[in-house]
Amino acid sequence: MEVVVASSSVDAGIGCWDLHTGAEQLRHKSCWSPPHGLVSVGGRFLASSHLSPQSSGGCIFFWSWSKPQIGVRSFPAETIKPLSANHPGTYIAGGGVSGDIYLWEVETGRLLKKWHAHYRAVTCLVFSEDDSLLISGSEDGSVRVWSLFMIFDDLRSQEASQLYEHSFTGHALRVTDVVIGYGGSNAIIVSASEDRTCKVWSLSTGALLRNIVFPAIIDAIVLDPAEHVFYAGSRDGKIFIAALHTESLVTSSYGMHIIGSFSNHSKSVTCLAYGISGNLLISGSEDGMVRVWDARTHNIVRMFKYAKGPVSNICVVRPEIDSTNRISQSSSRKQGSDLPPPLEKYSNSVEDLDAKMPILLRGDKRCAEVSYLSSHVISSHINELQRHGSAAASELEMGKLKDDYQKSMQMVNQWKKMYENLHQFCVKELLDGGQARV
Amino acid sequence: MTRSKAKSKKPGGVDFKKIRRKIGKKLPPPKNATNTEIKSKAIVLPEQSVAADKAGLAVNKKGLTLKELLQQTSHHNAKVRRDALVGIKDLFNKFPTEMKLHKYAAIEKLRERIGDDDKVVRRTLYDLFKSVILPGCKEDNQELIISLLMAYIFNAMTHLAFDIRIMAFDFLDLVLQFYPPSFSSYAEKIFQNYEDILRKNQYFSQDKGKLKDVLAGLIRCLSLLPWNKGETNLVDKDDNGRILLHAFDDDMPISSNGFSHIIKKLRDLAPVLINSFLEFTPSITAMASIEGKSFGCMLSILHGIDLIIRSFVHGADKESESPSLEGEPNGAMLDITISSLLLKKVFPLFPLSPAHHLSEKDYNRLVDLNMAVAKIFLELNEWIYLPPDLLEKYLEFMEHALFGKVCNDAQSDNAVSEKRLIQLLLFIPKFVSRGASHWTTRLLQAFTYILRESKPGSLLKLACLSAIEDMLTPIQAMLSLEKSNPENLELQEYLMAWIAELPLLLIQLGDKHPACSEVALRLQLHIGQRALSNSSLACMYDDIQDKLKIFYCTCQGGGKKCSGPFVRLPRESQELSLCCLYYFSHLDLPILKSIACCCLSPELDRSVLFRIIEIIHSAYREGHIKIADHLSIFITFVLRFEVSPEGSSGLKSVILCQTFKSMTTLLCSYMAQIGGNYLVLNIIEKVIIDHILLKPPLDNSCSLLRMIVTVDSKPTRLSEQSIIVLGSYLSKYLIDAAQCLPEDYDEQCKSSTQLTSVHYYLLPCFFLFDRCHKLLNLVLKNMGSAIAESSLWPMSDDYTQHPSNWLVRVNAVASVLLLIDKDPKMQQILSSFKEGVDSIIQNVSSLQSSEKISMTIEEKHKIKCTHDRLKMLLR
């Protein structure tokens, strides 16, 4: 199941719709998420930064898929606006208004690292495809690429003159969105800014590959999966198509490298997402509608009425509802079962960990690195596995295996049938062919 | 043979047949005669060239073809050779196609003359290559031509005759000028040859001019090294026009292997240069005046050393990036010899001071030399540890130079000294980035002096600005690390002083130096982007805005023609300056007003106007502008916009109208985005009503009404008082609007432009009426009384001095009512106010019958028509 999740910066909850059937799912309550503040953590649960006018500081809330109420509340040291999680959902990164980036471990809620990244508030955060790089955009107009290896290597980061791998300072105003393409170290990064431009950067050389000037401010961008083009949602309600690896006509009416545009004749486009399966483009707008477009024909396929207020975030997620349910049944934890503990405010748990560690590691320079592997997480996992050895767990395991067995048997039968059919067909063909020749 | 055969036949015959021959008769040809006729297609005879027919062939003045000329170039007589070269030049000039066809052959033959014994021949050849052949081969395969020539040039460089060698360097210079990329493939050999020639300094002692030429060539080669010409390359790399994202880059830098070879050569070259420099120094200190040529030589030598040092520094940088490149100790170890040589021999000489009093010219020359030495020293200082006492001396010199104490006062502001100072300025950011010390303070003080003293728009100012830009990051890094350090605090103070200079500079620059303005604005933007991390810096940055007011709008009195330099800057600079606005943590009303004033200047481009509004709104969204200020600026925009340009006597410009309409649309959409319409209405209601009382022009009031409509809701939220004010105003507004219609306006032609524009004016009123029926009632009443008034006191009002004037008014009221009636929704509302309409009709009819006003028959007819039209309405 592919679910479109949308949230707003004014309270309208988190709306979820099945992308292919259009059925509305559970609406999660009380969410005021700023742009780029909503994220699905590995498909297991939803996390969102929360910036309501009532509370002074920002907080981060978790929702499980099955419950509309807030599952876990965390209160970080400062207001966090953008959030991002790596693909398996083991880490959450958040960007603070002071320009700091925080990195938490989801399983334990530990603040693993915090570093000063920008001169002004971080506006967007995104992990690269292989989760080794974190790309951040800021209000000061810079886009920086952080290697997590560097961040966690205390020795190297002390030696190096700067922590970041690249710092792109081409934008004159606040960066509104950043996306990274495929291709590992040779990927491209596209950044949009309030200075009405989108810039394409090369990750390998750190060079500016292309500068595209739009007729309006671009608030959201999304890459076409094949990276032929990218779509840019503008404040005047149009979605522009800009060329990447495709031939662009110089004589376009909008400007260099802009191939065309399509419009929903409404207020500004605030966020864009691309469907996981199917060639679908999903846009959220200031008027509170979520529109699903056929990316090829640019026709609206579906429309979700979200709320009156502006949509600030859209994610397309494949929620792991089944597996989480099973765990919640089996595990001994009673409430908020499938959600991890809240994120910590300060990173202070390093000391007690060190106490447990053998002292001989201290002399080694790699010691610092080791401490970030958070050994007690692993030991708790081991504990859990041992508990799984109990009768209930083994029963469950048996059930699972039986399920699997049945499924496999069905598959086998199906394959057999298919083989039979194919065999018959071939024989028939051969015979027919032979007769015809005769 | 034939004869003997005939003889042998004779005995065979019995008798001789007597043949009688007649005298004079021709004999028949004998049977055994040999055919002596010669047949051939052509006869080739070696002949004299002078006599040959050369029609159709390309020849020079003397009638020689290219082939002959080339042959003559290897003639043993020097004069013939020279003449041949002159001839070739002449030929090629006359027949460019001839050169295209035979250039490779020609070059192949001509290159032999590079090592010619005769000086005149070499000169002529040089001239031939320079003026004809190389310029003509620009589009061809240059690599091939170069490779044809290079071998012979290198050969000539090792010739025994000194003159030939020198000339070979000239040829090399020529070739490199013609095709600079070829340098990289021959670099090693070229430097080797330079080294060899410079070692032979005994030859040069007589002729300084030649040495100067050779050094000039060497410097040209050194600056061709890829790392020395880096700055110029960056400009070309602006690849906005590239069609492909990942295009193949063909300008490969020299491979790391080649690089290390070149470095090795340079290492050999440096001591030679230093030695030849040292040979000059005694003459400098001893002599009373410096000879021009030897001064030139010294300067070139120093320049050369500087370039070599820079290459080493670059090499060291590269090595630090990839330490495991080669096992050989290339970096630090490599240059111990050179640096120690410099330290021992050259640096202690500094500053070169004359033994005697020098003339001004000579003094300046000496300063130049000192500057060059200082530059080398500072360059080296970046990279290796130099004794502090020496450093002290150099820094002192630098400080003096910056304060302008080194040069004579009379010449302190000429271009030459400016250029020197620019070179020194480059080192300040580098020095500052090494950390604070008491010298940084002194240097920065000098720097601040220069920044203030340099002329706006000069290159020096530009260099200062870019130096500040370079210093921004290190200073901020230092400040963020430890704030309490007093030296760091001083740094911060300097930074603040520079920031305070910026707005003054921008205003001084005006629109005269767009390039310099752009740099200054970019600097301002970068400071703004980073200001937040440091509170006092942010404060300082915010304080700029007060001074920047004049940049946007020169006079604050609200008079006309007061646009500041901003309006006339190029588009990019305008964009930068607008971006700066976004980063003020709070934008105050005064600067907003001056921006608004500049927006309304007719010189400003329409797209810039929209961009300004967009950025102001972005700043508002970030909370940098108070909501009241924001809204009041919006209202100012709408109120002060002039639809009719000055001097057009009230005629509206269509383009301006369009702009105004779309601006209003934009502003209204932004107002709607603010959210909390009720609140917004509360804020703007009073202001707008106050302004409406002053009766602004039609278009402006229409936009004001649109604003109200945007934030109002269905049952109106306007206060009672405002409704009364609006009621009286709208009746006049509607009448004015209806007067835009032509008098003979036909109801059938709906598409007329006037009708749509009138409809545009009426639309906001319709919304108001829909939301507040009472307002319509009020308006109807007011209109009725207006007609009644004019009928009662026709002479008292200005309006009704002439009957046709009030006639127009009555007519307008009628059209308004008809237009309202046309709208289906309005029709419904109107029908609930029958008595209002009735009273208007009543008034009209009473006017008709009034005897106080004298009307012509035509006018009477018109009023009758109007009356009838209104009556139609009632049915």
Side-chain angles (χ1 to χ4, degrees), chain A residues 51 104 130 162 174 206 212 220 229 232 253-254 295 308 318 392 396:
Chain A
L51 209 70
W104 289 280
D130 63 351
Q162 75 272 341
R174 182 187 137 91
I212 307 169
V229 295
S253 55
Y254 297 112
K308 275 191 180 162
R318 280 211 176 104
L396 198 84

Side-chain angles (χ1 to χ4, degrees), chain B residues 154-189:
Chain B
F154 286 135
N155 196 21
M157 280 178 178
T158 53
H159 203 277
L160 277 176
F162 189 67
D163 274 352
I164 295 179
R165 282 183 172 198
I166 295 284
M167 197 68 199
F169 282 100
D170 284 349
F171 275 110
L172 175 72
D173 221 29
L174 186 69
V175 165
L176 289 181
Q177 272 174 18
F178 159 66
Y179 186 60
S182 67
F183 170 73
S184 55
S185 35
Y186 299 100
E188 211 187 322
K189 217 162 177 192

Side-chain angles (χ1 to χ4, degrees), chain A residues 161-435:
Chain A
S161 51
Q162 75 272 341
L163 270 175
Y164 51 79
E165 302 291 312
H166 293 298
S167 177
F168 306 123
T169 53
H171 286 298
L173 284 181
R174 182 187 137 91
V175 177
T176 51
D177 202 356
V178 171
V179 288
I180 182 167
Y182 302 100
S185 61
N186 228 350
I188 51 165
I189 295 172
V190 186
S191 61
S193 163
E194 274 187 4
D195 62 6
R196 287 189 175 181
T197 62
C198 283
K199 292 180 199 284
V200 184
W201 312 89
S202 153
L203 185 59
S204 55
T205 62
L208 173 64
L209 294 178
R210 187 168 288 180
N211 181 27
I212 307 169
V213 183
F214 286 89
I217 292 179
I218 301 299
D219 269 331
I221 40 180
V222 68
L223 286 177
D224 162 49
E227 287 182 23
H228 290 306
V229 295
F230 72 88
Y231 298 94
S234 79
R235 275 207 190 149
D236 62 1
K238 286 191 183 113
I239 298 175
F240 291 100
I241 309 165
L244 288 173
H245 292 295
T246 185
E247 200 166 323
S248 60
L249 299 168
V250 183
T251 53
S252 161
S253 55
Y254 297 112
M256 196 76 173
H257 299 304
I258 304 177
I259 297 169
S261 78
F262 51 100
S263 165
N264 52 10
H265 308 292
S266 76
K267 292 175 184 170
S268 69
V269 179
T270 51
C271 43
L272 288 173
Y274 219 91
I276 299 170
S277 62
N279 198 13
L280 295 175
L281 182 71
I282 301 137
S283 73
S285 155
E286 184 102 19
D287 61 4
M289 300 298 282
V290 176
R291 294 172 173 82
V292 183
W293 310 77
D294 185 327
R296 198 173 53 84
T297 60
H298 307 157
N299 290 329
I300 294 181
V301 182
R302 222 177 264 293
M303 256 173 48
F304 304 124
K305 175 107 183 73
Y306 170 64
K308 275 191 180 162
V311 182
S312 65
N313 289 290
I314 289 182
C315 307
V316 181
V317 196
R318 280 211 176 104
E320 294 180 359
I321 292 175
D322 295 347
S323 62
T324 47
N325 277 346
R326 203 170 283 169
I327 286 174
S328 69
Q329 282 163 14
S330 67
S331 79
S332 53
R333 281 178 280 175
K334 285 283 178 269
Q335 41 97 31
S337 51
D338 51 338
L339 289 178
L343 306 174
E344 275 174 10
K345 201 165 183 174
Y346 306 106
S347 58
N348 48 9
S349 55
V350 183
E351 282 81 39
D352 58 59
L353 261 176
D354 267 359
K356 276 188 195 168
M357 277 211 221
I359 292 169
L360 55 103
L361 267 175
R362 279 265 165 81
D364 189 33
K365 275 173 183 168
R366 300 279 150 174
C367 176
E369 207 181 338
V370 171
S371 84
Y372 287 113
L373 291 174
S374 55
S375 58
H376 82 270
V377 178
I378 294 169
S379 57
S380 74
H381 273 289
I382 294 169
N383 276 336
E384 212 161 301
L385 270 175
Q386 281 167 351
R387 229 180 297 145
H388 272 282
S390 68
S394 60
E395 222 167 86
L396 198 84
E397 206 71 1
M398 276 292 282
K400 217 176 177 182
L401 285 173
K402 269 179 190 164
D403 263 15
D404 282 356
Y405 172 70
Q406 259 173 1
K407 259 187 205 164
S408 331
M409 281 307 282
Q410 270 174 8
M411 281 293 276
V412 168
N413 285 334
Q414 218 170 331
W415 280 108
K416 267 186 186 165
K417 227 185 213 168
M418 273 176 78
Y419 172 74
E420 263 331 282
N421 285 343
L422 199 66
H423 182 74
Q424 266 178 11
F425 174 77
C426 284
V427 168
K428 212 174 168 193
E429 279 289 293
L430 273 172
L431 282 177
D432 284 358
Q435 273 172 4

Side-chain angles (χ1 to χ4, degrees), chain A residues 119-120 139-141 171-174 188 194-196 208-211 217 235 244-245 257 286, chain B residues 239-246 476 525 528-530 532 579 582-583 611 614-615 618 621-622 673:
Chain A
Y119 293 109
R120 277 174 184 266
E139 215 171 77
D140 64 13
H171 286 298
L173 284 181
R174 182 187 137 91
I188 51 165
E194 274 187 4
D195 62 6
R196 287 189 175 181
L208 173 64
L209 294 178
R210 187 168 288 180
N211 181 27
I217 292 179
R235 275 207 190 149
L244 288 173
H245 292 295
H257 299 304
E286 184 102 19
Chain B
D239 40 13
N240 284 347
R242 251 160 88 156
I243 293 176
L244 292 173
L245 261 191
H246 295 293
Q476 274 204 316
L525 177 65
Q529 284 178 338
R530 290 140 175 246
L532 192 71
C579 292
Y582 176 87
Y583 288 107
R611 184 73 184 137
E614 193 174 72
I615 289 199
S618 288
R621 275 163 57 132
E622 284 301 304
Q673 270 178 33

Side-chain angles (χ1 to χ4, degrees), chain B residues 39 50 128 150 268 392 481 679 695 810:
Chain B
K39 278 184 189 166
V50 186
L128 171 65
M150 265 321 185
D268 297 339
E392 198 94 337
L481 277 180
L679 219 88
K695 297 195 181 98
V810 171

Side-chain angles (χ1 to χ4, degrees), chain B residues 525-813:
Chain B
L525 177 65
H526 285 170
I527 293 170
Q529 284 178 338
R530 290 140 175 246
L532 192 71
S533 59
N534 184 321
S535 57
S536 49
L537 209 64
C539 243
M540 191 67 217
Y541 186 70
D542 282 342
D543 286 348
I544 298 181
Q545 57 174 294
D546 197 44
K547 292 175 195 157
L548 269 183
K549 274 189 302 193
I550 306 170
F551 180 62
Y552 295 100
C553 173
T554 42
C555 69
Q556 301 295 313
K560 306 278 174 194
K561 298 262 182 222
C562 54
S563 50
F566 169 80
V567 179
R568 290 176 295 274
L569 284 177
R571 186 74 179 78
E572 289 80 38
S573 307
Q574 287 181 339
E575 176 76 33
L576 281 174
S577 130
L578 291 176
C579 292
C580 292
L581 293 176
Y582 176 87
Y583 288 107
F584 287 115
S585 67
H586 57 90
L587 275 168
D588 296 333
L589 201 55
I591 186 154
L592 284 175
K593 271 192 177 149
S594 91
I595 293 166
C597 163
C598 123
C599 283
L600 299 171
S601 137
E603 295 164 68
L604 200 70
D605 191 53
R606 173 192 152 123
S607 61
V608 181
L609 169 67
F610 289 140
R611 184 73 184 137
I612 291 175
I613 296 174
E614 193 174 72
I615 289 199
I616 288 181
H617 190 65
S618 288
Y620 163 75
R621 275 163 57 132
E622 284 301 304
H624 298 168
I625 303 177
K626 283 185 212 141
I627 183 163
D629 292 350
H630 191 50
L631 291 172
S632 89
I633 282 303
F634 277 9
I635 292 169
T636 314
F637 274 130
V638 163
L639 207 60
R640 301 262 295 274
F641 196 92
E642 280 166 359
V643 179
S644 44
E646 266 173 78
S648 67
S649 65
L651 272 176
K652 289 176 189 172
S653 128
V654 180
I655 303 162
L656 280 177
C657 269
Q658 279 293 329
T659 312
F660 188 53
K661 271 186 200 172
S662 37
M663 185 181 86
T664 312
T665 314
L666 187 71
L667 290 177
C668 286
S669 76
Y670 282 157
M671 279 174 116
Q673 270 178 33
I674 288 173
N677 284 346
Y678 177 59
L679 219 88
V680 175
L681 183 66
N682 248 345
I683 298 169
I684 63 168
E685 183 182 345
K686 189 162 181 316
V687 188
I688 289 189
I689 295 297
D690 284 353
H691 281 299
I692 273 181
L693 277 175
L694 300 173
K695 297 195 181 98
L698 201 59
D699 288 272
N700 301 54
S701 26
C702 174
S703 296
L704 286 176
L705 292 176
R706 277 181 70 183
M707 280 185 158
I708 292 186
V709 167
T710 312
V711 289
D712 199 9
S713 54
K714 171 78 196 216
T716 184
R717 283 192 173 126
L718 289 167
S719 71
E720 202 67 19
Q721 216 177 349
S722 339
I723 288 174
I724 292 167
V725 173
L726 276 178
S728 70
Y729 174 72
L730 281 185
S731 58
K732 292 193 187 80
Y733 169 82
L734 286 172
I735 290 169
D736 284 349
Q739 276 172 8
C740 293
L741 283 178
E743 227 169 287
D744 54 345
Y745 127 80
D746 186 5
E747 282 177 38
Q748 260 63 46
C749 77
K750 284 181 179 169
S751 60
S752 79
T753 48
Q754 276 110 340
L755 192 58
T756 50
S757 74
V758 168
H759 199 74
Y760 171 76
Y761 292 138
L762 291 188
L763 200 62
C765 299
F766 286 179
F767 273 102
L768 284 171
F769 294 154
D770 180 38
R771 288 166 185 178
C772 175
H773 294 184
K774 196 178 146 200
L775 189 60
L776 180 59
N777 195 16
L778 267 175
V779 168
L780 287 176
K781 257 188 207 159
N782 277 325
M783 285 205 280
S785 61
I787 294 173
E789 259 171 47
S790 53
S791 65
L792 284 178
W793 302 284
M795 295 308 166
S796 64
D797 202 345
D798 307 339
Y799 252 105
T800 47
Q801 271 174 355
H802 195 267
S804 65
N805 265 345
W806 60 257
L807 194 68
V808 166
R809 198 198 287 197
V810 171
N811 211 0
V813 170

